Amino acid sequence: MSISSLGVGSGLDIASLVSQLVSAERGAQDTTLARRSSAANAELSALGRVRSSLNALAGAASTLEEPSAFTPTTATSADEGSLLVSSTSGAQVGSYNARVVQLASAHKLHSQAYTDAEAEVGYGELTLELGEASFSVSVPQGDGSLEAIRDAINGSDDNVGIRASIIIADDGARLVLESEQTGADQSIRVTAAPEAGGEGLDALVYDPGVTENLTELSEARDGKLSIDGFVRSSSTNTITDAVDGLSFTLLAETPDMDVRIDVAQDSGSVSSAVQSFVTAYNNAQVTLSSVSLAVPGGTSGALVGDPLALGARQSLRTMMTQQFDGDIGSLSEVGISFEVDGTMQFDASVLEAKADTDLDAVIDLFSGDDGLAAGLRTYLDGFTADDGRIDAREDSLDTRLEEIELQGDRLDRRMERFEARLTAQFTAMDQLVASLQSTGSYLTQQLSSLPGFTRTEAG
């Protein structure tokens, strides 16, 4: 019998009674499981925040681990309309006189003028070469218009980098062929196979020094840059191998005018890298503090009293305040001081002044195998690596959550059995009460029918 039909015999709201008894039985256990699950998820969230902040600190430390971070340069061009320049840490401080001797260009050819784009040119086979690469297209008889040839070239799966287009001018339509790449080695050569068909395709032949039925619009040329009188060529308008650490972009030819290039030390980049490190360190300290902070009467951090958070916070502070070997013994000598809460303050002017007078000492402090950055990164790897301490804690919490979920499933099954047992018991009671009521009514009727029996109504 279903719960909804119970109570017919007894008059009790048995469905509600069973529900209340089940809720009372599982209420405390649900609360315990929910509290344990919430605590585990809160710890996972806190560990995620710790991992993120320590990863950011490790990234900032990795930047400082490279000595090149402390020898950055900035390069400027006196004429950015004709020549752009950028530098990396490998560039040496100095100046150069540069000239854009020649811009790189792509080879471009055009045909004679035809009536329109649908005009028939011929049929046969065209072979197009670009530098040392080549491909061929077949032009069927009756389908040799400018449009068809253009589409055959552009649609060829073997195309090695030649674009075909049609330009329509007042005097007619022309087929234009252009290399997709600049440089003297990327010149176009076109030949036709006369045995394959009509002679009309000869009009598209361009074989320098032999047959030149196409007209050159643009020569295939290398870019050329003169630096202090020495010329460096490139197939493009970007030259990166002329001076170590410098990249030049050629924009306009200046064959008769020097463009001054200045390369200077960029102390601002050094300060920026250290400031990024200080910011990452402060964020890590704030995160470690917030997740381990006890707030009496309020919301405490999820890792209160946890040795992982407390230990990391203290160890980081110890590493930053230690005495270092070398000419610079403490971070205070490069403008880094500490607040009461463990965070850092950074005075960039102190670092820049120190770098101007003793750059090697600054590099030794932060970089290299024995520098602060390498030691810090190694320490942080113990937390954030795939098999690190945070990973181990997260695996443990995931296992705990899985067990809590299993306990919840077992509780559900136990409560189902409990509800079924109560339902069976109340069903039996309800049937018994109904039976007793039926018997009582029968006896009352029988007694009422006896001679001399008088029933007195109560009340």
Side-chain angles (χ1 to χ4, degrees), residues 46-77:
L47 287 171
R49 292 172 56 199
V50 170
R51 181 194 291 275
S52 178
S53 66
L54 294 184
N55 272 332
L57 179 56
S62 294
T63 298
L64 296 182
E65 195 173 352
E66 296 298 327
S68 59
F70 296 91
T71 57
T73 55
T74 179
T76 57
S77 167

Side-chain angles (χ1 to χ4, degrees), residues 2-342:
S2 67
I3 292 179
S4 61
S5 64
L6 290 176
V8 174
S10 63
L12 296 174
D13 186 358
I14 293 176
S16 176
L17 181 59
V18 170
S19 177
Q20 292 179 44
L21 288 172
V22 172
S23 295
E25 179 70 17
R26 76 175 298 162
Q29 298 175 73
D30 271 341
T31 299
T32 299
L33 291 177
R35 183 173 62 251
R36 291 174 58 198
S37 178
S38 177
N41 280 308
E43 285 188 48
L44 279 174
S45 177
L47 287 171
R49 292 172 56 199
V50 170
R51 181 194 291 275
S52 178
S53 66
L54 294 184
N55 272 332
L57 179 56
S62 294
T63 298
L64 296 182
E65 195 173 352
E66 296 298 327
S68 59
F70 296 91
T71 57
T73 55
T74 179
T76 57
S77 167
D79 183 5
E80 294 187 346
S82 61
L83 181 62
L84 294 178
V85 62
S86 62
S87 68
T88 65
S89 57
Q92 300 299 309
V93 173
S95 61
Y96 308 90
N97 288 319
R99 294 188 181 191
V100 181
V101 178
Q102 178 176 285
L103 290 178
S105 60
H107 202 199
K108 199 169 188 179
L109 307 168
H110 73 82
S111 71
Q112 66 187 48
Y114 290 84
T115 305
D116 52 39
E118 298 178 354
E120 286 291 320
V121 178
Y123 62 93
E125 184 174 86
L126 284 176
T127 298
L128 298 95
E129 300 176 31
L130 184 64
E132 297 181 354
S134 66
F135 68 105
S136 298
V137 295
S138 294
V139 182
Q141 187 173 5
D143 193 20
S145 67
L146 283 181
E147 287 180 333
I149 294 173
R150 175 200 62 193
D151 295 342
I153 293 172
N154 291 336
S156 173
D157 292 335
D158 299 324
N159 192 314
V160 294
I162 297 176
R163 288 190 298 261
S165 60
I166 294 175
I167 295 178
I168 299 176
D170 291 342
D171 59 348
R174 290 176 172 83
L175 181 70
V176 177
L177 302 178
E178 181 179 12
S179 168
E180 294 178 353
Q181 302 177 35
T182 59
D185 291 338
Q186 300 299 310
S187 59
I188 299 172
R189 179 172 178 266
V190 184
T191 57
E195 69 275 11
E199 297 179 355
L201 289 184
D202 289 343
L204 301 182
V205 170
Y206 183 80
D207 189 3
V210 181
T211 304
E212 298 181 9
N213 291 333
L214 297 180
T215 303
E216 193 172 60
L217 275 173
S218 175
E219 182 183 355
R221 299 195 308 178
D222 287 336
K224 293 185 178 182
L225 178 68
S226 170
I227 303 174
D228 288 343
F230 303 101
V231 176
R232 183 60 174 167
S233 300
S234 169
S235 62
T236 71
N237 284 313
T238 299
I239 296 177
T240 59
D241 57 359
V243 179
D244 286 343
L246 295 184
S247 176
F248 299 92
T249 301
L250 285 56
L251 300 177
E253 294 179 359
T254 59
D256 300 320
M257 180 185 73
D258 286 332
V259 177
R260 184 177 177 83
I261 302 297
D262 290 307
V263 183
Q265 197 75 40
D266 186 6
S267 58
S269 293
V270 176
S271 300
S272 178
V274 174
Q275 180 62 68
S276 295
F277 170 76
V278 169
T279 299
Y281 176 86
N282 288 344
N283 289 339
Q285 283 288 355
V286 170
T287 298
L288 290 168
S289 176
S290 64
V291 300
S292 59
L293 182 65
V295 183
T299 302
S300 298
L303 300 179
V304 171
D306 192 298
L308 184 149
L310 294 175
R313 187 183 180 200
Q314 183 57 47
S315 295
L316 288 175
R317 176 69 183 269
T318 299
M319 294 179 74
M320 296 303 108
T321 56
Q322 66 177 303
Q323 288 296 309
F324 300 96
D325 295 332
D327 294 336
I328 297 177
S330 68
L331 291 180
S332 62
E333 295 181 46
V334 291
I336 296 176
S337 59
F338 290 86
E339 300 294 322
V340 175
D341 62 359

